[in-house]
Amino acid sequence: VDRRQRQMCIRDSTCPLPVQPGMTVNQATKACYDSELGADTYEEQFEGWVDIETLEPGDPGRKIVCCVEDGKCVTVEMKYMEASITDTFYGVDLNRRPAETAQESTERVAQELQRQGIRAEINDFLILLPDHLVAVEVDEGVAWFDPGYWSLEDFLETSFLA
């Protein structure tokens, strides 16, 4: 993630972060260091703080959280520290609109993704993209699951944002 980047536009299901699903903790730590991200390593989870210039004063940015199993990042999540979100996913605004409930926002984003031909399923407030092993929660974050670790069945059963 370019530190000078003012808005993250995710154009496909590929994780745009320097940390990728399937990386070892050492690789992920080095990727954060090389990208000038602060990183802390824990036995169960790896965290790196993403410093992106913001469009609005006071926006604290984003945080990377990786769940680790057997020394590898099995999920990589970009969490938003607080609303308003300026990011888009496949061109779809990930910010909840003022008059929308959380459920309405979830349904709107899922419908917009489906109009683009992307299979999207709703599980409570999560939008699951089973063809890509990606979970989106409007106003909260995006998580990428390592297809080398997660089966489609496991992804659908255990999808959550860390």
Side-chain angles (χ1 to χ4, degrees):
V1 176
D2 186 336
R3 293 187 69 187
R4 296 171 303 251
Q5 185 175 355
R6 296 181 66 72
Q7 180 176 4
M8 183 169 296
C9 299
I10 302 168
R11 290 176 175 52
D12 61 28
S13 61
T14 305
C15 183
L17 304 173
V19 179
Q20 298 290 309
M23 281 185 164
T24 65
V25 172
N26 287 341
Q27 290 169 327
T29 303
K30 183 179 182 325
C32 281
Y33 177 80
D34 291 346
S35 299
E36 298 180 4
L37 302 178
D40 295 314
T41 303
Y42 301 94
E43 186 173 325
E44 294 298 318
Q45 108 178 350
F46 169 89
E47 298 186 2
W49 291 86
V50 184
D51 182 13
I52 300 175
E53 285 186 33
T54 59
L55 292 174
E56 299 177 21
D59 180 355
R62 296 132 183 96
K63 176 182 177 182
I64 298 172
V65 177
C66 300
C67 291
V68 175
E69 289 287 335
D70 298 324
K72 289 198 173 189
C73 299
V74 296
T75 64
V76 174
E77 179 190 1
M78 180 176 59
K79 295 177 90 160
Y80 298 106
M81 301 312 294
E82 64 184 55
S84 298
I85 309 307
T86 56
D87 293 351
T88 60
F89 189 79
Y90 281 94
V92 178
D93 181 10
L94 293 179
N95 196 29
R96 189 166 103 191
R97 296 178 180 159
E100 287 180 327
T101 65
Q103 189 63 44
E104 289 169 337
S105 294
T106 300
E107 290 170 3
R108 173 185 51 82
V109 170
Q111 288 170 359
E112 289 180 29
L113 291 169
Q114 289 167 343
R115 275 195 283 278
Q116 294 183 42
I118 300 165
R119 185 166 67 124
E121 299 177 13
I122 295 175
N123 179 4
D124 291 324
F125 296 106
L126 289 179
I127 301 166
L128 305 178
L129 309 180
D131 296 336
H132 306 287
L133 299 188
V134 173
V136 177
E137 187 172 3
V138 177
D139 252 4
E140 296 293 328
V142 179
W144 293 264
F145 290 68
D146 178 14
Y149 179 84
W150 297 95
S151 69
L152 176 59
E153 182 179 285
D154 289 340
F155 166 75
L156 292 173
E157 285 180 13
T158 61
S159 294
F160 64 93
L161 297 181

